Amino acid sequence: MTGLGQTLATLARRSLDSAQSGVRGTARMVACEIAPNPGALKMLIHVPAGLVPGAPLVVVLHGCTQGGEAYAEGAGWLTLADRFGFVVLCPEQTAANNPNRCFNWFQTGDTTRDAGEAASIAAMTRKAVADNAIDPERVFVTGLSAGGAMTAAMLATYPELFAAGAVVAGLPHGAAANMSEAFGAMAKPKARESAAWGEKVRTASDYAGRWPRISIWHGTADTTVRPASADALVQQWTNVHGLTGAPHKARTPQGRVFEVWMSPSGEPLVENHRIPGLAHGTPLKTQGPDGVGTAGPFLLDVGISSSLEIALGWGIAQVEVGSRPATLTDSDGSSAHGSAAGNHRRSSQPAPDGTAPQRPNAVTSVIENALRAAGLMR
């Protein structure tokens, strides 16, 4: 088995062109000047033609050795943006900041509010909202690996900016404070009580409002960022949301299991998607009506359209709902049907074609998304 140090050394030796071979951008994103920019990041943005006022914004954070547009294109976010009418913002790391082009999620100077890379991403987000008449209640963030860890940091340090986030093969906020600790955290995060993990989020800002929702995506075969990081993320965010009970669980016939922790009103606040056999990367489904993205390094075609599922969960994408029933089961095996409470901070803006947006049962939609990904529902 390849060791963590050897894996990172291999990544460090790769040139940018080699790392992005097979997943190249298509010049669909525009570079923008941004100030302040204390983290010295680049700002790339994609605004679909015919964007309507009040559209959503998705901030997409790439992984190590990747570029912003290449990852957004490969993970399917640019295709989804054109299809459903939302803006994609890609903060992009530079080799001057990090030789592997990783976001510096392990440096406190870059993950502290009003400082470093976190402050730059926040400034870009505010600019994208202002310049494109974005609905501020429908701003989301997602990222892979180092970008996933930075996603967790953004949800902690700037929670007022985001309605929800999705962390793919990432780590919890506060998992490391330097490079040495980062190596250890990737192999196995420090054992902490849930309250201690939650406190790292609560003390990251003086925010007193509703916390963003989060979905966590991780492969069981990830040897770069071990699945224990997903467990720590679950600890952190269930504590932040004050969720103390057992999760509801769902399983597809093909063996995919995920967990959902809900508010008393039935609103899904924390989701944990553990993908059997998935190595380090973003899970894709590139074929079929729900297929988006292009397979490549750290973009793994395993028959699960994670970007589409995430967009569906955020309420910024729509699909035809089949007639197959979908239910959650409690950990004791009993049936549990969610309430009709929708995702919080969701506006009633029309879809790009002018029709009224779909407002499915929030819990049912989580299950239906998984069933579609497994080919069990159209």
Side-chain angles (χ1 to χ4, degrees):
M1 181 179 295
T2 303
L4 176 61
Q6 183 180 349
T7 298
L8 292 175
T10 300
L11 292 177
R13 289 193 297 268
R14 293 180 179 175
S15 67
L16 178 61
D17 288 343
S18 174
Q20 296 185 175
S21 62
V23 186
R24 296 188 178 274
T26 54
R28 298 168 65 185
M29 305 199 79
V30 176
C32 300
E33 295 297 324
I34 179 67
N37 186 11
L41 302 176
K42 294 181 179 179
M43 177 179 177
L44 302 175
I45 195 164
H46 174 66
V47 181
L51 187 76
V52 300
L57 169 68
V58 177
V59 181
V60 177
L61 302 176
H62 63 81
C64 296
T65 76
Q66 297 175 320
E69 181 171 357
Y71 177 66
E73 177 75 19
W77 284 109
L78 299 186
T79 298
L80 294 173
D82 288 340
R83 185 180 302 172
F84 299 112
F86 58 82
V87 174
V88 172
L89 164 66
C90 289
E92 186 175 76
Q93 184 60 284
T94 67
N97 286 345
N98 185 295
N100 292 330
R101 295 172 61 92
C102 308
F103 289 104
N104 289 307
W105 60 270
F106 48 85
Q107 301 284 10
T108 55
D110 284 306
T111 57
T112 299
R113 187 177 175 94
D114 298 328
E117 293 172 12
S120 291
I121 295 170
M124 293 177 191
T125 302
R126 294 189 184 105
K127 176 176 173 60
V129 169
D131 289 354
N132 298 283
I134 296 296
D135 179 356
E137 301 297 298
R138 294 200 294 169
V139 178
F140 308 92
V141 61
T142 184
L144 165 68
S145 192
M150 187 58 80
T151 293
M154 294 307 299
L155 294 173
T157 54
Y158 292 93
E160 76 280 8
L161 290 182
F162 304 105
V167 177
V168 184
L171 300 97
H173 178 60
N178 56 55
M179 179 69 76
S180 177
E181 290 183 3
F183 290 164
M186 292 166 65
K188 184 177 182 181
K190 289 182 179 178
R192 292 187 173 100
E193 296 293 331
S194 296
W197 278 120
E199 195 66 10
K200 289 185 175 294
V201 172
R202 285 185 290 271
T203 58
S205 74
D206 59 2
Y207 184 65
R210 297 188 68 182
W211 292 99
R213 293 172 286 111
I214 188 170
S215 63
I216 300 155
W217 298 73
H218 218 110
T220 61
D222 191 335
T223 58
T224 301
V225 179
R226 303 282 179 166
S229 288
D231 298 332
L233 274 162
V234 168
Q235 283 186 272
Q236 185 167 71
W237 284 93
T238 52
N239 183 263
V240 167
H241 282 287
L243 304 171
T244 58
H248 300 283
K249 294 186 178 182
R251 180 189 298 273
T252 69
Q254 294 177 331
R256 179 179 167 196
V257 177
F258 57 93
E259 303 170 312
V260 185
W261 286 261
M262 295 184 291
S263 71
S265 64
E267 179 183 29
L269 299 178
V270 178
E271 298 176 24
N272 183 27
H273 298 255
R274 192 66 57 92
I275 312 301
L278 177 69
H280 189 64
T282 295
L284 301 180
K285 182 179 182 182
T286 60
Q287 302 299 316
D290 56 344
V292 292
T294 304
F298 313 114
L299 292 159
L300 309 178
D301 193 344
V302 294
I304 295 174
S305 194
S306 62
S307 297
L308 176 58
E309 286 195 42
I310 290 165
L312 287 166
W314 290 341
I316 62 173
Q318 303 85 35
V319 294
E320 292 183 3
V321 177
S323 59
R324 185 182 181 95
T327 60
L328 283 167
T329 55
D330 285 316
S331 55
D332 64 2
S334 61
S335 178
H337 295 270
S339 75
N343 294 334
H344 82 272
R345 298 204 286 185
R346 181 187 295 177
S347 76
S348 57
Q349 293 293 334
D353 62 2
T355 61
Q358 296 293 323
R359 292 293 179 264
N361 176 297
V363 176
T364 299
S365 68
V366 172
I367 306 302
E368 289 174 347
N369 295 345
L371 293 173
R372 289 188 192 94
L376 302 175
M377 177 182 287
R378 297 298 182 191

